[in-house]
Amino acid sequence: ASGQVGRGAVHEFTVSVVVGRTGRTLAVVPKEIVSKRGITYVAITRRHQAIDAYCRGLQRVFSADGPFNVQLRVDARTASPRAFEINPRFSTTVSLTCAAGVDEPAELIAQALGRPPAADLPWRDGVVLLRHMTDAFLDETAFVGRAEALARA
């Protein structure tokens, strides 16, 4: 990658730990968070040996049979990762993981349909996620009608 964007002594990462149904780690995809407001808005995939080793160690302890997400911080001085949250689900940045070359949902579906787990899954370093929100405007009567239809469904 072209370099770190974080300016402080601590960098926050969200990490997709891609684990097959057999429990084998297929990929560890760290994403450095550049902007976050509840969810990550800007992030960059980063190769980071210490994060990779740390997350593979977590998998050895947990023996998960599917993906999990690790939120962690890395002290820039020591390069030492420390998790502050572990979620037994896809990351909210799964779209970035896919854009970097690891389609986690497709891999798990293929395994559920009987295909053996892939070998280690390669991914691209330096892929940037730019997430944005879109405002939509409509007449209140259209909204009320739509809300009522959704409530009946």
Side-chain angles (χ1 to χ4, degrees):
S2 60
Q4 300 290 337
V5 273
R7 293 175 183 34
V10 176
H11 301 272
E12 186 173 337
F13 288 79
T14 182
V15 185
S16 292
V17 183
V18 185
V19 177
R21 292 170 50 106
T22 63
R24 191 167 66 77
T25 302
L26 307 175
V28 174
V29 185
K31 291 150 288 188
E32 183 180 10
I33 296 172
V34 178
S35 175
K36 181 178 179 178
R37 293 180 308 276
I39 65 168
T40 301
Y41 280 85
V42 181
I44 306 169
T45 57
R46 298 277 189 220
R47 292 205 187 278
H48 195 292
Q49 288 181 332
I51 291 174
D52 187 275
Y54 183 80
C55 290
R56 287 176 189 276
L58 290 174
Q59 171 54 10
R60 283 191 292 279
V61 170
F62 295 145
S63 299
D65 62 355
F68 61 95
N69 172 254
V70 179
Q71 300 290 126
L72 57 80
R73 292 185 181 97
V74 175
D75 183 313
R77 292 164 295 195
T78 64
S80 179
R82 293 288 177 254
F84 61 89
E85 187 175 311
I86 300 171
N87 301 294
R89 59 169 171 74
F90 294 119
S91 168
T92 60
T93 57
V94 67
S95 60
L96 177 54
T97 304
C98 291
V102 177
D103 190 338
E104 284 181 273
E107 177 61 30
L108 286 180
I109 290 168
Q111 289 177 40
L113 295 173
R115 196 199 79 210
D120 289 348
L121 298 170
W123 55 275
R124 290 188 343 259
D125 189 35
V127 179
V128 178
L129 164 71
L130 299 174
R131 181 175 280 154
H132 65 278
M133 301 187 77
T134 302
D135 294 333
F137 302 93
L138 58 143
D139 186 79
E140 182 180 17
T141 56
F143 172 75
V144 171
R146 179 73 177 141
E148 290 169 356
L150 288 172
R152 287 190 303 270

